[in-house]
Structure formats: C-alpha cells, structure tokens
Amino acid sequence: SRVVEGAREDVAALLGGDPERTVLGPGATFWINAILASKLNAGDRVVTTALEHNAVMRPLRWYEEKRRIKLVTVNGRSSDGVPSADEIVNTVAHAPTSLVIMTHASNVTGAVLPVAEVAKAVSPVPVLVDAAQTAGSLAIDFGEMGAAALVASGHKGLLGPTGVGVLLLAPWFDIEPLVRGGTGSRSESVKMPEHLPDRLEAGTVNSAGAAGLGASCAWIRDRTVEAIHQRGRRLLEHLVEGLKEVPGVFLHGWNANQPRVNILSFTMRSKDNGELAAWLDREHGIMVRAGLHCAPAAHQRLETFPNGTIRVGIGPFNTESDIDALIAAINDAYE
C-alpha cells in the first residue's frame, strides 16, 4: 500500500493532479473505455478529431453502431491535420454535445492539439484528454488544463512498465466503476466505496507496475520534463535536417512552428515501409515503427493510408550519435 500510494503521489505531482483523484489501472485504453461506459447513452453527441488513436476510435465507433450515439469527427484544415481550437469549439457549439475527446498529441506526427484552449471554451461540456503521447514528454498541469479527465499510459513518455496507466479526474467530474469488486476498504459493505481512488480500483492493484511507474515519474521530475523535451527537440531538428538531404525522403506532418512531442514520420520513395524498418533493425540495430500506428484515421487525413509511414521516436536516452546513425542508414538505403 505504501508503494502504491507513493507512486500515486509521484504521478500526480508530475502531471498536476490531485493524488486522491489520480487512479491507477491497466492502461489508458481501459480508462477511456471506463469513461465512455459511464457517460454515454443512446442519442448522445460526441465530438472528436481525425487524429485519434484506435484506443479512442474503436470504442467510439462501437458506441456509434451499437448504442446509437452521434459521432462527429473534426478534420483540421491545416496541412498536418491539426484542428484549430475554433474548429473544434464551433463544432461543439453547433448542437448539444455530451463529451469531447481529444488526443493531446498525434501519435503519428507528434503535433500537439489545443486541448486547454478547447476545454476552457466549451465548458461545461466535459473534455477527455488522451495524453498517452504527451505525459512525461510534454509539461502537463492537469489542474490548469480545464479538462474533465486525462488518461495516460505508463510505458510511453512516463517510462514506466507496460500494463499500468493513470486516470486524472477534475473535482467536478466523476464516473461510475467499469469493474466492481474488492478494494481492501469498507469490507463490511456489499457496495463499492464512495471515495476515490478506491471506488475505481477494484481488485488487486498492479503494485509492481505502480512501483516502476512511481520510480520513473520521480526520475523525470528530478530532470524536469522541460529539460528532457528540449534535449529531444534538438535531436529531432538534427534528424529533420539530415533527412531533408536524402533524395526521395518525405516528411509527413512536420511543421517546425507547431508544438510537438519528439516523434517524426517519414516515407522513402520506392521503399516499402515494413521492409525498410526491418532492414534498419537487422542491418543497423535501429528500431523504428512502420505502418499505420493504430491510427488509420490520422493516416487517411495525412493521405498516407493504407501504407502508413515510418515513425521515429526520440526518448531521453537517445544521443546525437543515434541520430547520425539513422541518417547514415537512410542514406545507405537510398544508394
């Protein structure tokens, strides 16, 4: 219990949440589904964006088909597909809306969406933020964001283990449990406890995952998210400049003036993405992600569907020599 509560405090401190309203669970996907199950009813209108991960789009499409919600997807007019705050706000204002769901950053291009601006403008309509791509990679203050809820995976920018994720809830926003059962508290009652986080943490908490997540969040706080991000940004810009010099390489969704996390998507003329990624791994020991990245709608918006792109993720342990090695390898691929 001490380990779990310590981890909860570390996560809350890093993301600007209230520890009592910071809930641990199996992952971001679990918490997205828990919120939808608690809040959506037939006829409800939900506004989302074309850049969402399947963790958002698949359950929303299921609710659209099986529960008859009305799903409205905002396609940003910008070249990178990022909708402006006005585009989203105007869509919400067009008809009564029950929920807005937005990724904080595209997992395909890294471009950051204006979640705080939207949340404040559409209030009291609740905004759910999928921060799987930004938590630990971009400075987040949930208390200042104005969103109703924020979910994040432990194993991405937070550098924790797989199989653990977090949910942050605003003081004015509550959900019903998706899973009910033992909590180790109020054992005399056959009803779930009313207080958080127990009400949403039925069953045995993944204490090993929580321990790893707490340790990684403490490590990030010591070094600061801002410092980690800026170091990664320098490496990203070095990569962009290097790839621009390689004939036949196309950068997708890159905009130097757009706030972003440190990932980059590219393709290479006459090269199959999967084969090139496998070659980079096999011949150069470089691991990238090829394909649609569980975000087919985003690739449709970027006109990279159905082949997708190669995505490079830059983390706090990458070095300039890693970037140089990738640039050299892509040059070898062209030759």
Side-chain angles (χ1 to χ4, degrees):
S1 293
R2 284 192 294 269
V3 168
V4 171
E5 294 312 309
R8 194 187 313 280
E9 292 176 2
D10 284 325
V11 173
L14 181 66
L15 300 180
D18 177 352
E20 292 187 2
R21 302 185 71 79
T22 300
V23 194
L24 303 179
T29 301
F30 176 89
W31 289 124
I32 290 167
N33 278 269
I35 292 170
L36 299 185
S38 176
K39 294 299 182 181
L40 295 188
N41 298 296
D44 284 350
R45 183 175 188 259
V46 177
V47 173
T48 190
T49 80
L51 299 181
E52 304 303 314
H53 189 279
N54 274 341
V56 169
M57 293 306 298
R58 283 180 173 174
L60 284 180
R61 292 301 184 190
W62 184 89
Y63 275 91
E64 182 181 43
E65 178 184 357
K66 302 295 185 180
R67 295 292 184 265
R68 303 303 180 191
I69 69 165
K70 182 175 182 181
L71 180 61
V72 181
T73 301
V74 180
N75 290 293
R77 290 190 292 267
S78 63
S79 61
D80 56 9
V82 176
S84 68
D86 285 345
E87 287 177 286
I88 298 173
V89 172
N90 290 339
T91 302
V92 172
H94 185 72
T97 301
S98 299
L99 186 67
V100 176
I101 305 178
M102 298 175 62
T103 185
H104 196 181
S106 167
N107 73 310
V108 176
T109 68
V112 174
L113 279 65
V115 294
E117 192 175 347
V118 169
K120 290 167 185 174
V122 304
S123 179
V125 176
V127 174
L128 164 59
V129 177
D130 175 5
Q133 303 303 319
T134 54
S137 301
L138 202 68
I140 291 175
D141 187 339
F142 178 67
E144 295 296 320
M145 185 179 284
L150 179 146
V151 301
S153 306
H155 67 277
K156 297 185 180 181
L158 292 178
L159 307 178
T162 56
V164 63
V166 298
L167 165 67
L168 275 62
L169 292 170
W172 49 271
F173 188 76
D174 281 301
I175 64 171
E176 290 298 315
L178 181 64
V179 177
R180 293 173 173 82
T183 59
S185 61
R186 302 290 173 90
S187 297
E188 75 284 357
S189 175
V190 295
K191 296 182 178 180
M192 289 296 291
E194 289 297 320
H195 63 278
L196 290 174
D198 294 37
R199 182 160 55 86
L200 299 178
E201 288 186 350
T204 303
V205 175
N206 178 3
S207 55
L213 182 60
S216 62
C217 287
W219 185 91
I220 293 169
R221 285 182 66 207
D222 285 345
R223 285 148 183 85
T224 77
V225 174
E226 292 85 354
I228 292 171
H229 175 74
Q230 289 303 320
R231 180 180 177 278
R233 176 67 185 221
R234 290 191 292 271
L235 295 178
L236 177 64
E237 290 175 349
H238 179 46
L239 174 62
V240 167
E241 292 307 310
L243 292 183
K244 282 181 176 179
E245 298 299 317
V246 183
V249 167
F250 300 91
L251 306 182
H252 298 279
W254 168 254
N255 180 347
N257 298 317
Q258 172 73 37
R260 63 181 52 251
V261 292
N262 296 315
I263 64 175
L264 182 71
S265 272
F266 72 94
T267 55
M268 193 170 187
R269 185 187 298 119
S270 303
K271 298 290 183 181
D272 178 85
N273 292 327
E275 291 179 0
L276 180 55
W279 177 81
L280 287 170
D281 184 21
R282 183 178 63 252
E283 301 297 331
H284 294 272
I286 297 172
M287 297 180 69
V288 294
R289 174 79 184 272
L292 294 173
H293 314 104
C294 298
H299 281 281
Q300 289 169 340
R301 175 61 186 80
L302 293 165
E303 299 181 349
T304 52
F305 187 89
N307 296 322
T309 61
I310 291 177
R311 185 186 64 191
V312 181
I314 298 174
F317 306 113
N318 287 123
T319 63
E320 187 169 339
S321 63
D322 294 335
I323 304 303
D324 289 337
L326 176 56
I327 294 170
I330 296 300
N331 270 292
D332 289 346
Y334 170 73
E335 295 172 357

